[in-house]
Amino acid sequence: MKKTNLDQWISELEGIPELTREKLEALQLRRLNALLARARESKLHYETLPEKLDSLAQLRELPFTTADMIARQPGRYLLTSQSEVARVISGATSGTTGPAKRVFYTERDTEHTVGLFMAGISEMARPGEKVYIGMPFSGPFGLGDLIAKAVERLRAVPIRAGIGLTWGQQKELMEAERPENFIGFPVPLLGLARFCGDGFPLRRALVSGDACPAGVMAELERLFPVYPHYGSREMGLGGAVTCPAHEGMHLRENHVLAEIVDERGAPLPDGQWGELVITTIGLEAMPLIRYRTGDRARFLAEPCPCGGVTRRLDRVSRLDPGAVDMEEWDSRLFRLPQLVDYHAARSETGFRIRAAVTGEIGAREIRNALGIDAEITVSVCHKDDKPFYPAKRYVQ
Ligand SMILES: [Zn+2]
């Protein structure tokens, strides 16, 4: 089996011809110590941390950084001058509940992200093919823009669909362009495939941006091979990519150190589920040290069948779904082949669900699939409707 293209990218970018675990970890320690030295010099948030560690294992002795801390004082984490900042992303990250955060990138940070995207996308799309991009286009150096850049550099053709189109507009675009590949959110992709019905042109899909519920993944994999990716703003938008083995996501370990910890913050061994904690040693503008992502993940303990050196994350979901685990609801409800989309909200008596379907299904089937009582309205999905959630899904 061909090795992951991520290894190849790291080898070239870092000038390490034969990438091994030892060489990668030596690079990580060097980069971590360089970050600690910069942090100390900055006189900002991390200035009291030790200036140098003797081993990567000592990282776990450093304190955590949380989303709240960054939301309160984003400027305390910016290690470059404002003039070097090419892009700022602000706003809540998950639904409406996350705190508003600002994350800064330099042009070099975004260039590395394009490189990572090229490594990940090249496992799927071939030169000359079309790639439908159902991710937000929010200007230069935004997510959609960086993905389109990566697609173009791979000599494939980006179709900049974005996330604001109606079901009908998306269907027209699919029929007019007939793209072989897709990059976007998993649940809206399944809805689109169902809305379009026979003749849906996609052959492969890269899903990211939100958790991919197990039941939705199973439905998608009946249609075409699926390449899950994981990233977050704090790690520079791109973080981990699928390799030819399709078993977990290889982490961009030249730029990101990752740990899994339990609720008390104690480190967990590979194979165990816990919270993903990242140290972004490769970021120039806003590197974070032991940032608690609020995402639930685990490392796959065995080496990958592809022979890659970088470690792999298993599927990533949200750590604390609150009273309602919408991923679980998605898994149950999207087993119904007629379901295109649904919106879920709390009501005075419990929950209210609005379902959009292709036809031939009523509230009773939806209630049975969900397994709890809820106020349910069902309507046939109209071409002028938009997906209920343009990005991350949550119960309102
Ligand atoms: Zn692999």
Side-chain angles (χ1 to χ4, degrees), residues 132-179:
Y132 181 106
I133 305 174
M135 283 290 188
F137 280 84
S138 52
F141 306 112
L143 181 58
D145 184 58
L146 299 183
I147 294 171
K149 252 187 207 144
V151 168
E152 279 172 345
R153 286 190 202 168
L154 292 167
R155 288 179 288 122
V157 182
I159 299 167
R160 295 170 167 83
I163 54 171
L165 301 181
T166 64
W167 292 111
Q169 287 168 329
Q170 293 182 70
K171 186 178 180 192
E172 275 173 29
L173 204 49
M174 281 286 173
E175 288 172 351
E177 299 284 354
R178 302 205 62 75

Side-chain angles (χ1 to χ4, degrees), residues 241-295:
V241 299
T242 294
C243 75
H246 279 261
E247 290 181 24
M249 300 175 286
H250 285 273
L251 188 69
R252 170 194 192 175
E253 282 192 281
N254 55 331
H255 292 149
V256 178
L257 302 180
E259 307 166 71
I260 304 291
V261 303
D262 67 15
E263 303 95 33
R264 292 169 300 116
L268 289 170
D270 285 359
Q272 287 198 30
W273 294 97
E275 182 176 5
L276 177 67
V277 172
I278 55 170
T279 299
T280 49
I281 49 175
L283 285 180
E284 207 169 42
M286 192 170 166
L288 299 174
I289 294 171
R290 302 199 83 205
Y291 175 73
R292 297 189 76 141
T293 61
D295 286 330

Side-chain angles (χ1 to χ4, degrees), residues 340-363:
V340 173
D341 197 10
Y342 74 93
H343 183 270
R346 286 179 177 79
S347 70
E348 278 164 22
T349 52
F351 294 100
R352 193 166 45 231
I353 288 182
R354 283 187 288 154
V357 301
T358 54
E360 303 290 309
I361 184 174

Side-chain angles (χ1 to χ4, degrees), residues 315-331:
R315 59 184 304 273
V316 179
S317 57
R318 279 177 241 163
L319 186 66
D320 177 19
V324 180
D325 185 350
M326 195 166 179
E327 283 176 50
E328 176 58 29
W329 284 20
D330 285 345
S331 281

